Amino acid sequence: FTKLFGYSPEEAIGNTTRMLRSRYSTDELYRAMWNSVNSRGEWKGEIINKTKDGSDIPIWLSITPVIHKGQKIGYMGIELDMREKKELERRAIEAERLAAVGKMSSQVAHEVRNPLSSISLNVELLRDELQSLESAINPADSSKLKEAHALLRAIEKEVDRLAEIAGD
């Protein structure tokens, strides 16, 4: 108790568990908890308690009455620190999230690469067509031919850039 919550034995002895109540513990929770302890003889569940310095700690709590000679003389609570478990759960959720993002990224990259390959192939075919037409074109139209080659180079450059982004 002293290690988990930071209170010395002198500070804890004689106090109630109210000293551990955090902002997450509602009156309804406490009513349900004590109703269960008194009617069923136990309460088990997760709760967030607070330490002496005000930090919140997720706890698995089990409370039972202490009976001596047929009389209830008090209550016993066993509290298990759930911080490590919560951190592992958080990491697992983060890993699942990252795996989903990775899978989605892979699918998007695949879907982008397919049309890029088609565009790249068609650019090569257009370049071949232009080269075969160069001899048949009027020299006065050569500037249009140069412009067509420049446009094809620009398309190839952008296709290569997109392919690199998809690969990354």
Side-chain angles (χ1 to χ4, degrees):
F1 179 89
T2 58
K3 205 180 215 184
L4 186 59
F5 294 108
Y7 290 99
S8 70
E10 296 76 29
E11 292 171 306
I13 293 172
N15 275 312
T16 67
T17 57
R18 279 191 191 95
M19 66 195 285
L20 303 177
R21 190 168 178 176
S22 75
R23 62 182 179 226
Y24 300 103
S25 301
T26 63
D27 290 338
E28 292 80 28
L29 171 69
Y30 272 85
R31 269 194 295 279
M33 181 189 309
W34 290 110
N35 283 340
S36 177
V37 170
N38 291 318
S39 65
R40 293 191 350 227
E42 70 174 354
W43 182 87
K44 293 179 183 177
E46 197 171 308
I47 188 170
I48 298 176
N49 279 344
K50 104 181 147 174
T51 63
K52 182 179 177 179
D53 70 6
S55 303
D56 294 324
I57 298 180
I59 298 291
W60 178 259
L61 175 60
S62 174
I63 302 173
T64 56
V66 176
I67 309 291
H68 180 70
K69 296 182 182 178
Q71 294 288 322
K72 189 185 316 178
I73 61 169
Y75 299 93
M76 178 178 71
I78 298 174
E79 296 180 288
L80 301 174
D81 185 349
M82 300 292 287
R83 287 179 290 191
E84 189 174 322
K85 181 182 181 285
K86 292 293 184 184
E87 177 60 19
L88 289 173
E89 287 173 356
R90 187 196 65 75
R91 285 186 197 169
I93 289 168
E94 183 67 19
E96 287 174 15
R97 197 174 289 143
L98 288 173
V101 168
K103 185 177 180 182
M104 184 181 69
S105 298
S106 174
Q107 290 170 340
V108 168
H110 177 74
E111 292 301 320
V112 168
R113 276 192 221 115
N114 286 341
L116 286 178
S117 295
S118 177
I119 293 168
S120 184
L121 176 63
N122 285 304
V123 165
E124 285 181 40
L125 293 173
L126 272 174
R127 177 170 282 111
D128 291 345
E129 286 295 318
L130 276 176
Q131 287 172 346
S132 68
L133 292 174
E134 283 180 354
S135 59
I137 290 183
N138 183 344
D141 292 330
S142 68
S143 66
K144 289 183 180 180
L145 191 61
K146 287 180 183 175
E147 186 179 334
H149 279 293
L151 289 172
L152 287 175
R153 278 192 299 280
I155 292 170
E156 279 180 320
K157 182 180 173 188
E158 293 303 315
V159 165
D160 290 345
R161 187 174 73 83
L162 287 172
E164 186 176 331
I165 289 170
D168 289 347

